[in-house]
Amino acid sequence: MLFQCLVLVSFSVILLQLRTVSGQSSFLQSNSINGTGIILPRIIYISPKMTVVSGGKALLRCFVEHLGTNKVLWIHARDGQFTALTDGGSRITSDTRFTVEVKSATQYNLEIREVYEEDAGEYQCQIAARSVVTKSTHITVHIPPVITEESSRRLQIGEGSKVYLECNATGFPKPRVHWGRENDAILPMGGTQFWGSVLEIPQINRNDRGIYICFAENGVGRGDRRSIPVLVECKFNKTVTKLHVILV
């Protein structure tokens, strides 16, 4: 009888302890390995998706708990390629723009200085345990517009010719291109603005000469612009004046 009593008392104490740990008796069961009571490490927070302007800085935070002797890694995934950046408190990539800061035993921050276009993609905070634990976030890199070298420059053409002025720009998001003239002069097709990468003048005349300006904008930075001088060679009507000499 004494043995049975001790067993019942011990069992009651165990149940009481399970119920009083954070008020969650099911916590250990959901975080144990096969009910052994070994608490698995987990990631409780990772920075949300973010957008960074090219050349800027990005800071990603990852909070973990029950890490034990396991290590936290940061991994970059893009186009099916996975690159390990950090291991614990050490940088393992050769790219010195990446640094890891261990704020505490539960916080691992990844900092990226001078963000490039190729830094866009998925970033994984990973715990290298018996069962790998991963949470992911994403960086989108915005790039200011730049008008390409292949776009139109100074143009000299004869009056009456058809003219195409081209303006292309790189950047992300994709830039929008529009045209204007110096001092808001009226464009050959009317108005002071034309949206599109190609400005067509079907039959240019001397009144169309001057400075045309291409603008490229995508909401990142101040945009880009290029001034294009257009010179028009005028046609002159040749007239022959006959002189009549009167002999007296």
Side-chain angles (χ1 to χ4, degrees):
M1 292 295 293
L2 179 61
F3 176 77
Q4 290 178 346
C5 184
L6 288 174
V7 171
L8 288 174
V9 171
S10 300
F11 184 71
S12 298
V13 171
I14 292 171
L15 286 179
L16 179 61
Q17 289 176 341
L18 288 176
R19 290 192 181 108
T20 56
V21 175
S22 301
Q24 297 180 16
S25 61
S26 61
F27 177 78
L28 290 178
Q29 182 178 358
S30 62
N31 290 275
S32 63
I33 302 176
N34 298 326
T36 61
I38 300 175
I39 302 176
L40 292 174
R42 66 172 187 158
I43 298 169
I44 58 176
Y45 174 84
I46 190 171
S47 296
K49 297 178 181 179
M50 65 177 63
T51 298
V52 183
V53 176
S54 178
K57 182 175 71 173
L59 179 64
L60 300 176
R61 295 181 173 91
C62 181
F63 289 84
V64 302
E65 65 179 6
H66 310 307
L67 186 61
T69 58
N70 301 298
K71 288 188 175 182
V72 174
L73 293 81
W74 277 102
I75 297 170
H76 180 211
R78 179 176 179 176
D79 300 329
Q81 301 293 320
F82 294 82
T83 304
L85 305 172
T86 68
D87 182 3
S90 303
R91 172 176 54 84
I92 58 176
T93 176
S94 59
D95 193 334
T96 57
R97 295 179 303 115
F98 293 88
T99 56
V100 60
E101 180 183 19
V102 182
K103 298 285 288 186
S104 66
T106 61
Q107 182 179 355
Y108 290 75
N109 295 343
L110 177 69
E111 181 178 325
I112 312 172
R113 300 188 307 275
E114 297 181 30
V115 173
Y116 298 152
E117 180 180 3
E118 56 267 28
D119 297 326
E122 178 184 348
Y123 285 81
Q124 299 178 356
C125 177
Q126 185 177 106
I127 300 176
R130 179 182 300 181
S131 178
V132 175
V133 182
T134 301
K135 279 190 181 294
S136 300
T137 186
H138 192 277
I139 291 181
T140 300
V141 180
H142 279 186
I143 304 169
V146 175
I147 295 173
T148 64
E149 291 297 319
E150 294 76 17
S151 299
S152 297
R153 293 185 177 274
R154 183 178 183 275
L155 179 66
Q156 184 170 349
I157 197 164
E159 190 173 21
S161 302
K162 180 180 284 189
V163 173
Y164 295 97
L165 297 178
E166 296 188 21
C167 184
N168 298 296
T170 60
F172 185 82
K174 183 178 179 180
R176 297 185 65 197
V177 173
H178 70 274
W179 293 87
R181 291 182 72 180
E182 192 175 44
N183 301 320
D184 287 330
I186 302 299
L187 292 165
M189 69 288 297
T192 58
Q193 278 190 351
F194 173 80
W195 289 88
S197 58
V198 179
L199 177 67
E200 178 183 348
I201 307 173
Q203 193 172 12
I204 197 167
N205 63 60
R206 65 195 68 184
N207 296 321
D208 299 328
R209 67 184 183 273
I211 305 295
Y212 289 75
I213 306 173
C214 164
F215 301 88
E217 302 168 347
N218 67 351
V220 184
R222 301 177 60 182
D224 197 8
R225 59 184 289 171
R226 175 179 292 181
S227 297
I228 304 168
V230 175
L231 308 178
V232 180
E233 298 175 346
C234 301
K235 292 181 179 180
F236 296 97
N237 293 324
K238 296 180 179 179
T239 58
V240 177
T241 302
K242 294 183 180 180
L243 298 178
H244 297 275
V245 179
I246 301 176
L247 298 176
V248 179

